Amino acid sequence: MDYENIIFEVKDSIAFVTINRPEKLNALNERTVNELDDVFVNISRDDEINVVILTGSGEKAFVAGADIAELNKLTLLQGREFAEKGQAVFSKIEKLNKPVIAAVNGYALGGGCELALACHIRLASEHAVFGQPEVNLGIIPGYGGTQRLARLINSGRALEYILTGDYIKAAEAEKIGLVNHVYPAEELMTKAIEMAKKINSKAQIAVRMATKAVVSCNELSESEGLHLEASLFAICCGSEDFKEGTQAFLEKRKPNFKNR
Ligand code: COA
């Protein structure tokens, strides 16, 4: 698929996905959602990629939401399809077999906040602004926001933001655990790349199993989650990298991981 609204690059096993509609503050129209769907399928199949950084083009916005011009035309039945399509794509990101870091470089509103929530780790610039302002449009979050925001920051806080439409500035987002770290705008990508490189330097089977285990806590009971954790732990124990990592420690040297 040719991409019109996203930029996709891979460098040193790190994939960069940039939503690129800056004139519309990177709002997610149907085409952009389809392109995201396609690119994340390709990323999941590409064994050369170990970590993904997702960001928005320009200095103002990560993603300012679903495209309101398209939303405006939805009928009741189309509304359901619209939400289910977005939910499926965002769940694909959350369940990706490798970690995704959101570098939130500005407005992350509505579907933009939900997109950041579907990523595994969120880093933000000082001028990033989060929010679920759908109530101002007569709708509710439909790309997973009611579920993921409530899980991440608790249901009372999530409802406050969803019912008032109030924006969440970066410092507040860090305080309530919505983002991991906040950086000056000019440092955001450097810090995201630094984190991606550090993850890339580890044993990738362990990175993938850990990501899968932690993401599964959203859907599994504690006993099911522990059962899965034990199975994924066992898979790591069967890897060459496990032998190498433990042996290197005992020999007081750096491990040389081969991702096998
Ligand atoms: N859908 C479609 N277009 C959008 C958009 C969205 N979610 N968000 C911004 N745009 C467009 C604007 O219509 C404008 O287009 P135009 O130049 O053709 O008129 C352009 O992006 C720039 O936005 P503008 O509103 O002029 O920028 P601003 O700096 O004054 O305000 C925001 C920035 C983010 C506060 C404002 O754009 C906004 O409230 N956007 C909608 C946020 C929202 O409700 N998202 C949830 C949707 S479910």
Side-chain angles (χ1 to χ4, degrees):
M1 177 177 200
D2 288 334
Y3 299 135
E4 277 174 19
N5 298 334
I6 61 174
I7 302 168
F8 174 52
E9 296 158 306
V10 182
K11 201 172 166 223
D12 301 331
S13 298
I14 302 170
F16 295 83
V17 178
T18 306
I19 318 277
N20 188 34
R21 288 184 84 208
E23 71 292 349
K24 295 289 178 194
L25 304 188
N26 305 321
L28 298 175
N29 60 5
E30 191 183 3
R31 165 122 206 153
T32 313
V33 172
N34 287 336
E35 290 183 11
L36 273 177
D37 191 8
D38 187 81
V39 83
F40 275 96
V41 168
N42 290 336
I43 290 171
S44 73
R45 291 177 182 155
D46 188 337
D47 243 10
E48 295 302 307
I49 298 172
N50 292 332
V51 193
V52 185
I53 296 177
L54 178 63
T55 193
S57 179
E59 287 169 8
K60 219 167 150 182
F62 174 68
V63 167
D67 191 308
I68 297 171
E70 286 188 359
L71 277 179
N72 175 257
K73 299 191 177 72
L74 292 179
T75 63
L76 184 149
L77 286 179
Q78 289 166 338
R80 188 180 186 96
E81 280 170 26
F82 172 92
E84 286 176 349
K85 174 72 202 281
Q87 287 173 1
V89 175
F90 286 17
S91 289
K92 208 172 268 181
I93 296 173
E94 186 177 50
K95 290 185 177 153
L96 191 77
N97 54 354
K98 37 202 102 172
V100 184
I101 300 170
V104 181
N105 56 314
Y107 288 114
L109 300 175
C113 187
E114 292 168 298
L115 180 59
L117 286 167
C119 296
H120 302 115
I121 292 170
R122 284 158 293 282
L123 308 179
S125 68
E126 281 169 348
H127 70 283
V129 176
F130 295 80
Q132 298 289 166
E134 287 89 345
V135 74
N136 297 326
L137 304 171
I139 46 174
I140 68 170
Y143 283 178
T146 62
Q147 306 304 298
R148 292 194 179 97
L149 190 62
R151 273 201 306 258
L152 191 63
I153 65 171
N154 87 39
S155 58
R157 278 200 178 116
L159 266 178
E160 178 182 335
Y161 295 120
I162 290 170
L163 299 182
T164 62
D166 282 352
Y167 288 170
I168 311 164
K169 291 188 176 161
E172 173 79 2
E174 188 177 23
K175 204 172 90 189
I176 62 177
L178 179 50
V179 301
N180 293 41
H181 303 285
V182 175
Y183 300 110
E186 63 279 9
E187 286 178 24
L188 177 65
M189 272 318 271
T190 314
K191 293 291 186 184
I193 292 168
E194 232 171 62
M195 183 182 278
K197 281 186 174 166
K198 187 182 268 190
I199 294 170
N200 187 40
S201 73
K202 311 295 179 189
Q204 289 309 305
I205 291 173
V207 166
R208 292 177 191 190
M209 295 306 127
T211 306
K212 190 177 175 65
V214 172
V215 167
S216 78
C217 79
N218 297 328
E219 286 183 348
L220 302 181
S221 67
E222 188 168 325
S223 64
E224 289 166 335
L226 290 173
H227 187 72
L228 177 70
E229 182 186 84
S231 302
L232 299 175
F233 180 88
I235 290 174
C236 293
C237 291
S239 70
E240 282 181 34
D241 282 350
F242 160 67
K243 297 282 174 236
E244 168 63 11
T246 47
Q247 198 61 34
F249 176 85
L250 296 173
E251 292 169 9
K252 301 190 187 306
R253 62 173 173 81
K254 273 191 143 188
N256 177 19
F257 291 128
K258 300 215 167 71
N259 303 332
R260 291 200 292 253

